[in-house]
Amino acid sequence: MTELREHLHGLWLPLVTPFRDGKLDETSLRRLIRHYSGQAVDGFILGATSGEGMTLREGELERLVAVVRDEMASGRRTLPICLGLSGADTARLKDRLDETADWPIEGYLIASPYYVRPSQRGLLAHFEALADHAAWPIALYNIPYRCAVNITNQTMLRLAEHPNIVGLKDCGASREQSIALLRDRPKSFRVLTGEDANYLEALTDGADGGIVLSAHVETATFAAVYAEAKRGNHDAAQARWHEVAELTKLLFTEPSPAPAKYWLWRSGLIDSPEVRLPMVEVSSELAATIDREIERRMKVAA
């Protein structure tokens, strides 16, 4: 497998996990991989928040990775895979690292421990213990509004010194903190935004890319925003961003990934909009709004 640090840039897709009748829908999963492997996507995150990873049952996560890798092997393009992991027990997460050590992945995306609210010393010790133990590189996932704890920049810069910690999905919800981190980080430490609505803003501030759920839709446009921003063509990037900015709000009107799954189902990419409790499918009101938006975009494209 390739070195994750070299590939942790551009547009990454936190892939939804398709279900049907309570089971992993491998047919739809293969269809998704065929479709997005042909798009300007730079990597996949599997089994994380957007992939409903915390609801995946024993064996499903491994099967998810195997199917994705198999489908890419039979296609024309292979993309790096990061496996989403989360938990509040360092020892149990080390066990998960052992269990996945020989899986065909390039690395992990690991969120902060949720609910227990460790101190910064606790976060430092937690992530260093995982990085020391992991067979694959780790990207950190800072999302304090889900985990109830923020990885401060002081802690982040300490962690960035670890050779097996290569980057960050930044959902810190503080532009000031993000800008300071981008200024002070080691050159080899990659920072990708995970806030869809702030995608262009983060790229303008110097982020290396984004992990963007909304890029399941209008993928080429999200990729074009990145390309134009990296070329320094701010006006062109802004123009392309204008095409999808409202989309990043619509797809989070109700808890994600239900709206994106509904859109993908209506577009024929997956066979069911099914999600797993405690997530529920979109309301009839939002479904009608998404239907109208799909129809509008189809008319514009025609």
Side-chain angles (χ1 to χ4, degrees), residues 181-202:
L181 178 65
L182 289 167
R183 180 192 65 218
D184 297 336
R185 63 174 170 158
K187 183 179 293 186
S188 61
F189 186 75
R190 310 300 185 194
V191 177
L192 284 76
T193 185
E195 294 291 340
D196 291 28
N198 299 335
Y199 178 54
L200 176 58
E201 177 181 89

Side-chain angles (χ1 to χ4, degrees), residues 156-173:
M156 195 80 68
L157 292 172
R158 288 278 303 279
L159 291 170
E161 296 173 0
H162 196 291
N164 210 31
I165 296 177
V166 300
L168 167 72
K169 179 180 178 181
D170 184 8
C171 292

Side-chain angles (χ1 to χ4, degrees), residues 130-264:
L130 296 179
D132 288 342
H133 197 76
W136 302 104
I138 291 172
L140 307 172
Y141 185 6
N142 189 29
I143 183 163
Y145 54 83
R146 286 188 185 271
C147 296
V149 62
N150 175 46
I151 309 174
T152 67
N153 281 2
Q154 182 179 10
T155 301
M156 195 80 68
L157 292 172
R158 288 278 303 279
L159 291 170
E161 296 173 0
H162 196 291
N164 210 31
I165 296 177
V166 300
L168 167 72
K169 179 180 178 181
D170 184 8
C171 292
S174 167
R175 189 179 187 187
E176 181 181 8
Q177 179 177 339
S178 297
I179 290 173
L181 178 65
L182 289 167
R183 180 192 65 218
D184 297 336
R185 63 174 170 158
K187 183 179 293 186
S188 61
F189 186 75
R190 310 300 185 194
V191 177
L192 284 76
T193 185
E195 294 291 340
D196 291 28
N198 299 335
Y199 178 54
L200 176 58
E201 177 181 89
L203 294 175
T204 301
D205 291 339
D208 298 297
I211 300 172
V212 184
L213 169 87
S214 304
H216 280 86
V217 180
E218 302 286 357
T219 312
T221 304
F222 281 96
V225 171
Y226 170 77
E228 296 294 356
K230 286 299 148 183
R231 294 188 192 107
N233 298 332
H234 181 74
D235 289 345
Q238 185 67 53
R240 300 310 304 269
W241 176 242
H242 182 72
E243 299 173 26
V244 293
E246 291 302 313
L247 189 63
T248 66
K249 301 174 184 177
L250 177 62
L251 293 179
F252 288 87
T253 303
E254 293 179 8
S256 177
K261 278 191 159 182
Y262 181 83
W263 189 303
L264 294 173

Side-chain angles (χ1 to χ4, degrees), residues 14 24 35 40 42 76 149 244 269-270 291:
L24 179 64
H35 175 76
D42 295 291
R76 294 176 296 176
V149 62
V244 293
L269 277 172
I270 58 177
D291 287 342

Side-chain angles (χ1 to χ4, degrees), residues 15 17 32-33 97 137 167-168 172 195 212-213 226 262 273 290 297:
L15 195 72
T17 303
L32 288 174
I33 294 303
L97 294 175
L168 167 72
E195 294 291 340
V212 184
L213 169 87
Y226 170 77
Y262 181 83
I290 292 174
R297 288 178 180 272

